[in-house]
Amino acid sequence: SVRRPARRVRRWARATVVAQVAFTAIWLLAAAWQGPRYSIFAHSISDMYAVTAPEPGVAFLIIVLTVCGAVTIWFALRSLLPMLRSALGPASGSAGRLATAGSWLLALSIFGLGNLFTVTERLDCRMADPGCTSAKQLSNFGGTMDDFLSTAGLILFVIAGFLLAAAMRRAAGWQPLVRPTRWVMAVMIVILIADATGLGGLGGLFERLAALTGAAWIAFLAAGVSRRWRAIR
């Protein structure tokens, strides 16, 4: 039955919306148990699950981020991609390749693979800890993984957005998602540049803005997939 896989697509789209809300809620809440030296404006989200981060909250944070990453990967490959390719039709050509590449890059981005591997990305210390430096943070395996997956993952996310926008522009009924997607990716680039330049020592704030913007767009995209499932069922 065609209806059964379509229902699965919609269920995973809904689960993805919930996952993005949970992802945002957990890093907002986790700041509450970091102690008085921790600053949401100066210190990163990654600091909250560093080796020296307060237990047992860090374990809960890691579990939630990991699950959210897994849900996002599944959505990108098993909901978004088949729905988009279906809208493009069998003779999709380059648009189909854009949809495939964009969906895979979303899965490999910081919101997918980056969150899934959170347990391997534990910095050696928090900047809020006495004696911790940027070099010491990245001195262990977890720090190296976090630095690589965060940087590469954010770049892949932005590229994924532009590729998906190009594919959606050619897909029947998906055009309303194109302009918002392009604007979100443009905003992400501005945020990432501000973060990279260390503007005003507000790295933690810019990172949170990027996390919020990305999660909101994924939820928006998942809601779009769910609506389009209803239109074709």
Side-chain angles (χ1 to χ4, degrees):
S1 167
V2 175
R3 291 173 61 86
R4 188 169 299 171
R7 284 196 201 97
R8 284 200 295 268
V9 166
R10 190 180 184 194
R11 278 199 299 268
W12 278 106
R14 287 175 167 177
T16 302
V17 174
V18 174
Q20 303 317 308
V21 173
F23 164 74
T24 303
I26 192 59
W27 56 255
L28 285 171
L29 291 171
W33 61 72
Q34 298 303 311
R37 293 175 58 90
Y38 182 85
S39 167
I40 61 172
F41 299 102
H43 301 145
S44 70
I45 294 173
S46 299
D47 280 35
M48 297 193 293
Y49 51 84
V51 173
T52 57
E55 296 282 0
V58 65
F60 181 59
L61 177 59
I62 289 172
I63 289 170
V64 173
L65 293 180
T66 300
V67 172
C68 291
V71 172
T72 300
I73 291 171
W74 190 269
F75 163 72
L77 302 180
R78 301 303 298 271
S79 291
L80 173 63
L81 180 56
M83 281 289 291
L84 189 49
R85 288 191 68 94
S86 175
L88 287 166
S92 56
S94 61
R97 290 190 289 273
L98 288 171
T100 299
S103 298
W104 271 98
L105 290 183
L106 177 58
L108 295 173
S109 76
I110 191 168
F111 295 94
L113 194 67
N115 279 342
L116 182 68
F117 283 174
T118 298
V119 71
T120 70
E121 302 167 42
R122 302 193 66 186
L123 301 169
D124 192 64
C125 61
R126 302 181 308 159
M127 292 302 291
D129 300 329
C132 186
T133 63
S134 297
K136 181 169 174 53
Q137 272 197 324
L138 305 180
S139 63
N140 64 345
F141 175 77
T144 302
M145 285 289 289
D146 181 77
D147 186 46
F148 172 74
L149 289 176
S150 296
T151 303
L154 285 167
I155 294 171
L156 293 181
F157 176 77
V158 173
I159 296 173
F162 283 118
L163 292 179
L164 288 170
M168 291 187 291
R169 186 172 63 85
R170 307 182 198 180
W174 288 70
Q175 287 79 13
L177 303 181
V178 174
R179 182 173 293 181
T181 294
R182 288 173 174 167
W183 273 108
V184 166
M185 296 309 143
V187 169
M188 284 289 288
I189 290 173
V190 172
I191 294 172
L192 296 179
I193 292 173
D195 186 23
T197 57
L199 188 63
L202 298 175
L205 175 61
F206 291 126
E207 182 178 296
R208 283 164 173 79
L209 289 175
L212 178 61
T213 302
W217 175 74
I218 294 172
F220 166 76
L221 191 60
V225 168
S226 181
R227 285 194 300 271
R228 279 147 188 79
W229 177 87
R230 288 201 303 270
I232 66 171
R233 66 178 177 170

